Amino acid sequence: MTVLVIAEHDHATLKPATLNTVTAGIACASGDVHVLVAGANAAEAGKAASQVAGVAKVIVADSPSLAENLAENVAAQVLAIAKNYSHILFPSTANGKNVAPRVAALLDVAQISDITKVDSPDTFERPIYAGNAIAIVQSSDAIKVVTVRTTGFDAAAATGGSAAIETVDGVADSGKSSFVGREVTKSERPELTAAKIIVSGGRALGSAEKFQEVMAPLADKLNAGLGASRAAVDAGYAPNDWQVGQTGKIVAPQLYIAAGISGAIQHLAGMKDSKVIVAINKDEEAPIFSVADYGLVVDLFTAVPEFVKALH
Ligand SMILES: Cc1cc2nc3c(=O)[nH]c(=O)nc-3n(C[C@H](O)[C@H](O)[C@H](O)COP(=O)(O)OP(=O)(O)OC[C@H]3O[C@@H](n4cnc5c(N)ncnc54)[C@H](O)[C@@H]3O)c2cc1C
């Protein structure tokens, strides 16, 4: 049983989500783990994938049709080699979730979504009800199409492997969609899903100006990603892509600092797997304290600036 992992990459480098997905792949495999790098001029990303520990073979599909990650084209590329595999694993990222259902539907199998554990090659665990219950899912499909919640698996070592690299022809453009443009938010700060430290603010911040004034200096001092609760995002205090939680990003950094966030289950669903959680809230009954390793029952408008001052 050989497992195929679909790499998340920018053609030159691998995105960290690929490494967690490889670990999940190794857990499913009784045979080898292969990685597909579907891209354009993606030899560098292919080389990076070949160095990942535990990968036996990298397949680089290179074509202009794969330059912009159009889901129809990437799905066709995966389908071109799908029959060689018992499992096809995608990271549960926006890209992975865009392609995996197409592959599952065209193979006429059920997709197994957002797994956090592999119990055996046909049995997987996945959170449901915002992480309040874990479903154990068994599949009898010949090819298992799976998306992997990356916070559920450690990253495979990015170096140490020496996989063979095979180059295959990329698929032709499907003609079903075309790339129009991309608006990318540029930030000096680490990307939320890859950040080692995240500083998050909630509704208590009161305004976009206060959010910046109070939270940004702490994030700067710690070289942290900035996150927010949905209430803070809905109120316009923070941009949409900062939202952490069930309907935002799922994160598991080494350190998560939540300031003025009550800890609703939908927020906890996105951050409770963080290694160390610090909560700053003036209400000692706030549910965030139930998952916090360190809790400060104080006014954040005094505590956070003091914290920043204390950091050298
Ligand atoms: C289907 C669904 C999906 C959802 N998805 C998400 C999601 O992805 N992410 C998410 O975050 N939420 C999500 N929510 C919303 C969630 O239920 C909560 O409403 C939201 O998380 C609350 O945000 P908050 O903690 O910032 O605000 P509040 O619940 O209003 O909490 C504010 C906290 O700040 C504290 N506080 C106030 N002033 C201060 C001060 N000066 N100093 C210190 N502490 C202070 C208060 O004690 C309080 O605990 C979802 C809800 C639904 C129904």
Side-chain angles (χ1 to χ4, degrees), residues 31-98:
D32 287 340
V33 173
H34 295 178
V35 172
L36 172 67
V37 176
N41 300 318
E44 282 304 309
K47 214 154 105 193
S50 74
Q51 285 159 13
V52 176
V55 175
K57 183 159 106 176
V58 175
I59 300 160
V60 179
D62 222 299
S63 163
S65 68
L66 299 168
E68 304 298 346
N69 266 327
L70 295 178
E72 291 84 354
N73 294 349
V74 178
Q77 190 66 60
V78 176
L79 287 163
I81 56 172
K83 297 277 190 249
N84 304 330
Y85 296 97
S86 58
H87 297 69
I88 303 176
L89 268 56
F90 295 80
S92 200
T93 55
N95 270 327
K97 289 191 279 190
N98 202 9

Side-chain angles (χ1 to χ4, degrees), residues 202-204 228-232 243-248 260-264 266-267 280-283 286 298-301:
R203 194 194 320 256
S229 70
R230 175 156 159 184
Q243 185 178 316
V244 171
Q246 184 190 340
T247 43
I261 294 180
S262 59
Q266 297 90 352
H267 188 80
I280 302 171
N281 195 306
K282 66 179 186 186
D283 173 11
V298 281
D299 187 323
L300 75 91
F301 293 104

Side-chain angles (χ1 to χ4, degrees), residues 43-294:
E44 282 304 309
K47 214 154 105 193
S50 74
Q51 285 159 13
V52 176
V55 175
K57 183 159 106 176
V58 175
I59 300 160
V60 179
D62 222 299
S63 163
S65 68
L66 299 168
E68 304 298 346
N69 266 327
L70 295 178
E72 291 84 354
N73 294 349
V74 178
Q77 190 66 60
V78 176
L79 287 163
I81 56 172
K83 297 277 190 249
N84 304 330
Y85 296 97
S86 58
H87 297 69
I88 303 176
L89 268 56
F90 295 80
S92 200
T93 55
N95 270 327
K97 289 191 279 190
N98 202 9
V99 181
R102 296 167 201 270
V103 171
L106 291 165
L107 287 173
D108 199 19
V109 299
Q111 176 178 305
I112 304 154
S113 303
D114 227 11
I115 64 159
T116 49
K117 199 169 168 217
V118 178
D119 288 344
S120 72
D122 68 356
T123 308
F124 309 89
E125 296 188 15
R126 57 181 300 263
I128 55 172
Y129 302 124
N132 283 306
I134 301 294
I136 298 174
V137 184
Q138 188 169 30
S139 165
S140 56
D141 285 327
I143 302 178
K144 292 162 189 48
V145 175
V146 179
T147 61
V148 175
R149 184 177 286 199
T150 53
T151 54
F153 297 87
D154 291 337
T159 55
S162 55
I165 300 179
E166 180 186 326
T167 307
V168 300
D169 287 339
V171 291
D173 185 20
S174 73
K176 289 186 182 139
S177 62
S178 59
F179 178 72
V180 176
R182 178 179 286 122
E183 279 174 39
V184 182
T185 316
K186 287 220 165 68
S187 169
E188 297 295 303
R189 295 211 171 81
E191 203 188 332
L192 267 189
T193 49
K196 294 208 159 51
I197 303 177
I198 293 176
V199 169
S200 257
R203 194 194 320 256
L205 269 307
S207 69
E209 294 70 32
K210 277 283 167 201
F211 199 107
Q212 275 301 324
E213 185 189 316
V214 177
M215 301 306 290
L218 183 57
D220 290 342
K221 272 274 166 77
L222 294 170
N223 189 27
L226 259 178
S229 70
R230 175 156 159 184
V233 169
D234 286 352
Y237 307 163
N240 222 338
D241 59 343
W242 291 8
Q243 185 178 316
V244 171
Q246 184 190 340
T247 43
K249 299 209 164 109
I250 310 279
V251 299
Q254 296 295 325
L255 173 62
Y256 188 91
I257 303 177
I261 294 180
S262 59
I265 50 163
Q266 297 90 352
H267 188 80
L268 302 187
M271 45 63 74
K272 67 177 163 35
D273 292 331
S274 305
K275 300 287 177 291
V276 175
I277 297 172
V278 175
I280 302 171
N281 195 306
K282 66 179 186 186
D283 173 11
E284 63 180 303
E285 304 282 317
I288 189 80
F289 289 123
S290 68
V291 296
D293 299 286
Y294 300 93

